């Protein structure tokens, strides 16, 4: 029988893997890696240069996360009140979009502009 802490650690590990592979996170990885790799680091560098390169990569990572977080914070703060004041109307519009998308999937409606490959 596994101990409770081992089960908790395994659950947290697999939840982290699932979170990383989710459609919300995985598309960000190439942009993040290219942002970090934009500052070329040579692998044959001396220890002091390697340490400086690691600190530079850490700084770039912090800037990427801060910038990405700032976008969501600003959008959330500025749009929240607008969405709350028009919640009923937005729900009706979203329902209409879902119905139209369902009819397109069934083939009842053909919208060539939305169905391009």
């Amino acid at each position: 029988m596994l101990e409770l802490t081992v089960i908790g650690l395994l659950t947290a590990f697999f939840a982290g893997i699932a979170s990383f592979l989710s459609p919300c996170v995985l598309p960000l990885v190439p942009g993040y890696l290219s942002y970090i790799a934009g500052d070329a680091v040579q692998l044959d560098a001396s220890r002091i240069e390697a340490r400086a390169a690691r600190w530079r990569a850490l700084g770039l990572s912090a800037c990427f996360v801060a910038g990405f977080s700032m976008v969501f914070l600003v959008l959330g703060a500025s749009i929240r009140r607008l969405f709350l004041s028009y919640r009923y109307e937005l729900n009706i519009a979203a329902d209409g979009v879902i119905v139209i998308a369902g009819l397109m999937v069934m083939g009842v409606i053909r919208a060539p502009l939305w169905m391009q490959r």
Side-chain angles (χ1 to χ4, degrees):
M1 182 169 160
L2 292 174
E3 289 187 33
L4 197 54
T5 56
V6 174
I7 292 173
L9 287 173
L10 287 173
T11 302
F13 175 76
F14 286 114
I17 295 291
S19 172
F20 178 77
L21 295 175
S22 72
C24 299
V25 175
L26 194 58
L28 298 176
V29 173
Y32 172 76
L33 291 177
S34 66
Y35 185 79
I36 299 304
D39 188 28
V41 177
Q42 295 193 7
L43 298 175
D44 331 335
S46 69
R47 276 192 157 177
I48 296 172
E49 290 174 358
R51 179 177 286 170
R54 273 184 263 154
W55 280 106
R56 203 168 31 250
L58 181 64
L60 288 172
S61 297
C63 288
F64 181 86
V65 171
F68 207 79
S69 299
M70 188 59 62
V71 168
F72 280 103
L73 287 173
V74 168
L75 282 175
S78 62
I79 297 177
R80 181 178 183 265
R81 185 167 295 207
L82 177 69
F83 281 161
L84 287 177
S85 62
Y86 292 104
R87 184 183 340 187
Y88 180 74
E89 292 84 358
L90 289 172
N91 279 337
I92 292 173
D95 292 343
V97 169
I98 291 171
V99 168
I100 290 171
L103 291 173
M104 285 174 53
V105 168
M106 290 189 316
V108 175
I109 296 176
R110 292 192 46 82
L113 183 64
W114 288 0
M115 300 174 73
Q116 292 180 357
R117 291 185 183 181

